[in-house]
Amino acid sequence: MIDQRIAPYAALLLRVTIAGLFIAALYGKFVLKPIGVWWNGLLKAGYPEWVLAYALSAEFASAVLLLLGVYTRWVSIYTLPMMMGATHFWMVRKSFWFVEGGWEMPFVWAVMLLTQALLGDGAFALKVPKLPWDARLKRAPALEACPVHAVGTNDPAGYQIVGYTK
C-alpha cells in the first residue's frame, strides 16, 4: 500500500537525487575537464554530433528542470534515451560492475528516470502551465470510481481465488 501522505516526498527525494547526479556530471564535463575532451572522445567513438548535442541538452534539462520540478515527467522521458545510450556505450566496452567502469550505474540511472516519469513531480514542484498536448491526454478512470468489488474464496487445495463482480 502506498502512503499518500509521504509519497510526494519520495518523488521529491528521487527528483532532487537525479538532478544532483546530472549537476555532478555537468560539473565534471565543464569544470574538472574541458568539454572538448568528452566531445572529441565520443566523436572518435563514432557518435554523430547531434547525439552529443542531445546528450548535453538532456543533462542540462535534467539538472535544472528536475531540480525545480518543472515538467518532471516529460524531462525524465526526454532524458531516458540518453541514459539507455550511455548504458549501451559501457555495455559493449566493459562489464556490468561499476567498479570496473561498467554499465551498472547508467542502467540504474535510467531506471531512476523511468520511476520518476511514473511518479510525477512530487512535493515542492514549481507550478507551471500545462503543455498543449497535456489537455488532449485523457486519464483513465480511477479503480475506486468503478463499481467493481473483489470477491475471494478458498478452494480445497488452499489457494485463494479472487474474482471481480460489478
Side-chain angles (χ1 to χ4, degrees):
M1 170 146 174
I2 297 174
D3 188 344
Q4 297 298 328
R5 294 172 298 136
I6 60 173
Y9 298 103
L12 167 69
L13 178 62
L14 180 62
R15 193 181 80 221
V16 170
T17 301
I18 295 170
L21 289 171
F22 279 111
I23 290 169
L26 288 168
Y27 179 79
K29 283 182 182 69
F30 286 96
V31 176
L32 298 180
K33 289 190 242 179
I35 188 68
V37 173
W38 175 81
W39 191 275
N40 291 329
L42 290 176
L43 284 177
K44 287 178 185 174
Y47 288 92
E49 287 193 13
W50 68 267
V51 170
L52 307 179
Y54 159 68
L56 280 179
S57 71
E59 287 187 27
F60 274 110
S62 293
V64 175
L65 297 177
L66 287 183
L67 185 63
L68 299 174
V70 175
Y71 302 122
T72 302
R73 281 194 166 107
W74 298 110
V75 171
S76 297
I77 291 169
Y78 176 71
T79 308
L80 188 58
M82 187 266 302
M83 287 313 300
M84 293 307 295
T87 301
H88 180 263
F89 178 86
W90 291 112
M91 188 182 294
V92 298
R93 287 165 177 80
K94 300 281 187 169
S95 69
F96 174 76
W97 305 109
F98 184 68
V99 293
E100 299 170 5
W103 58 274
E104 172 188 16
M105 184 167 173
F107 179 73
V108 171
W109 210 338
V111 171
M112 291 169 64
L113 284 166
L114 181 61
T115 304
Q116 187 69 62
L118 294 171
L119 286 174
D121 294 334
F124 304 114
L126 289 181
K127 301 298 177 206
V128 293
K130 290 191 179 232
L131 294 169
W133 55 83
D134 279 341
R136 290 181 291 199
L137 298 175
K138 294 183 179 180
R139 293 185 177 190
L143 290 178
E144 293 80 23
C146 297
V148 175
H149 306 285
V151 178
T153 60
N154 288 322
D155 74 348
Y159 294 105
Q160 179 74 18
I161 301 171
V162 177
Y164 295 94
T165 62
K166 287 188 177 185

